[in-house]
Amino acid sequence: MKREELGDLAAFLAVVDERSFTRAAAVLGTSQSSLSHTVRRLEERLGLRLLNRTTRRLEPTEAGERLAQTLRPALGSIDDQIASLSEFRDKPAGTVRISTNVYVARSIIWPVVEKLLPDYPDINVELNVDQRFTDIVAEKFDAGVRLGEEVDKDMIATRIGPDVRMAVYAAPEYFRKHGIPQTPHDLLGHDCINLRLPTLGGLYSWEFEKNGRPLNVRVEGRLTFNDVGIIVQAAIEGHGIACTPEDHVMELIGQKKLQRVLLDWCPPFPGYHLYYPSRRQHSPAFRVIMEALRYHPETTKSGR
């Protein structure tokens, strides 16, 4: 294969992945017209139409989609091998891209990365903060972050945080007015603050467990948010009972701004994990970040 033919294939894949000549051109650092010419040249050489273009949409044809599926692992392998060449440098180098949520980015990843930066001046870190479940392979991330029980089985997972525990709480004034629930079933008689999940858009079903017996409760209330921070604030202001990870509210509970209930119904479960494809060969830069983030139970958070 000639060198320019490999370049044409890479350009075509960028157009398919971005579903736009304009965005693909920006990613590749070329002009839209040049990129359009490259794809037409590839179609002429293959004698096949690879893309269906309209004024509003750009989609691969059946042949184009099959070619894209063939190119992704092949070109991805080339990228991985090139990245691995940084082993021959004096220090690890390159960009590490991680998809995560706001809480993990602020409380777990950034404190670790901040300490690494002075010792590894050639490593660049990109944290993409998003509440949805990102396809890290399709969107070309080195890794993502999920709770241990949510990591797909075909991924490798490295634990980066302690066990997580949910907390059910409200303002003390709310409980003085409406009483304290003694079991999860009692929540059905209270005004609860719902969390709308960022993935499928449904409401979070509050999960409980006691003596090995799980129990899910779909609560009701006048308020629904898709952001934990607003949920906590609404609870402080007395608008109802909330349920979020305890790390978000432990300080507020200690300050008596919030009161916790149903503690014996909220056992710990596996915390946050960094996950990544098992088939991908990662760069030395990624391995530095991964090892620094690896959670050691005997080490306190402040000593990480």
Side-chain angles (χ1 to χ4, degrees):
M1 178 181 293
K2 297 180 180 179
R3 183 174 58 185
E4 62 270 17
E5 292 177 352
L6 181 60
D8 290 354
L9 292 171
F12 163 73
L13 184 59
V15 173
V16 172
D17 287 344
E18 296 295 333
R19 290 298 196 271
S20 164
F21 276 100
T22 301
R23 291 194 296 269
V27 169
L28 296 173
T30 187
S31 67
Q32 182 178 343
S33 59
S34 175
L35 186 56
S36 179
H37 174 73
T38 296
V39 173
R40 282 199 302 271
R41 181 174 62 201
L42 178 61
E43 289 178 322
E44 292 172 358
R45 186 164 63 248
L46 296 177
L48 295 168
R49 176 179 290 277
L50 300 176
L51 297 173
N52 287 322
R53 310 169 180 85
T54 67
T55 55
R56 294 185 178 182
R57 301 187 62 180
L58 184 151
E59 296 287 341
T61 63
E62 183 178 354
E65 183 59 42
R66 181 179 298 181
L67 177 59
Q69 291 175 357
T70 301
L71 291 174
R72 283 192 187 95
L75 295 180
S77 177
I78 293 174
D79 287 340
D80 291 342
Q81 292 298 327
I82 291 175
S84 70
L85 294 178
S86 60
E87 293 178 352
F88 296 98
R89 296 171 59 107
D90 293 335
K91 289 187 176 182
T95 298
V96 178
R97 302 182 70 234
I98 301 175
S99 174
T100 182
N101 62 41
V102 175
Y103 174 75
V104 175
R106 289 178 177 173
S107 64
I108 297 179
I109 299 180
W110 172 241
V112 171
V113 169
E114 184 182 23
K115 293 179 182 178
L116 283 178
L117 292 178
D119 295 329
Y120 295 94
D122 296 325
I123 292 180
N124 303 317
V125 178
E126 178 183 338
L127 297 183
N128 186 74
V129 175
D130 199 335
Q131 295 302 114
R132 63 190 176 91
F133 283 173
T134 301
D135 185 337
I136 62 170
V137 176
E139 299 192 29
K140 300 180 180 179
F141 285 98
D142 293 287
V145 175
R146 289 185 188 174
L147 291 170
E149 59 190 21
E150 297 173 345
V151 176
D152 293 337
K153 294 182 179 179
D154 61 344
M155 295 284 176
I156 296 178
T158 298
R159 185 167 177 159
I160 62 173
D163 283 348
V164 174
R165 197 176 190 184
M166 301 302 287
V168 180
Y169 55 86
E173 181 62 23
Y174 175 90
F175 288 130
R176 280 194 291 270
K177 289 181 179 179
H178 304 283
I180 296 177
Q182 301 301 314
T183 72
H185 290 294
D186 294 341
L187 293 169
L188 299 177
H190 284 267
D191 202 359
C192 296
I193 305 170
N194 266 302
L195 170 66
R196 187 163 301 278
L197 298 171
T199 49
L200 301 177
L203 296 180
Y204 168 62
S205 178
W206 293 14
E207 300 172 274
F208 300 96
E209 183 179 324
K210 190 173 184 179
N211 299 325
R213 181 168 62 94
L215 175 66
N216 286 12
V217 178
R218 291 195 174 275
V219 299
E220 295 184 357
R222 293 175 294 165
L223 296 177
T224 299
F225 302 107
N226 67 351
D227 178 81
V228 171
I230 302 177
I231 289 176
V232 173
Q233 189 60 41
I236 292 174
E237 294 169 359
H239 293 292
I241 302 177
C243 179
T244 63
E246 65 178 8
D247 283 357
H248 291 272
V249 293
M250 290 303 293
E251 184 175 348
L252 295 166
I253 291 172
Q255 296 170 353
K256 308 299 183 182
K257 293 181 179 180
L258 293 171
Q259 180 179 342
R260 190 172 187 176
V261 297
L262 301 177
L263 184 62
D264 56 339
W265 281 91
C266 300
F269 56 92
Y272 289 103
H273 287 63
L274 190 77
Y275 69 96
Y276 45 94
S278 59
R279 62 182 178 277
R280 178 173 293 177
Q281 181 176 352
H282 288 287
S283 68
F286 175 79
R287 290 197 290 271
V288 167
I289 299 295
M290 179 182 66
E291 288 303 322
L293 287 171
R294 189 185 298 276
Y295 176 69
H296 300 283
E298 69 278 5
T299 304
T300 64
K301 185 176 180 180
S302 60
R304 287 189 67 168

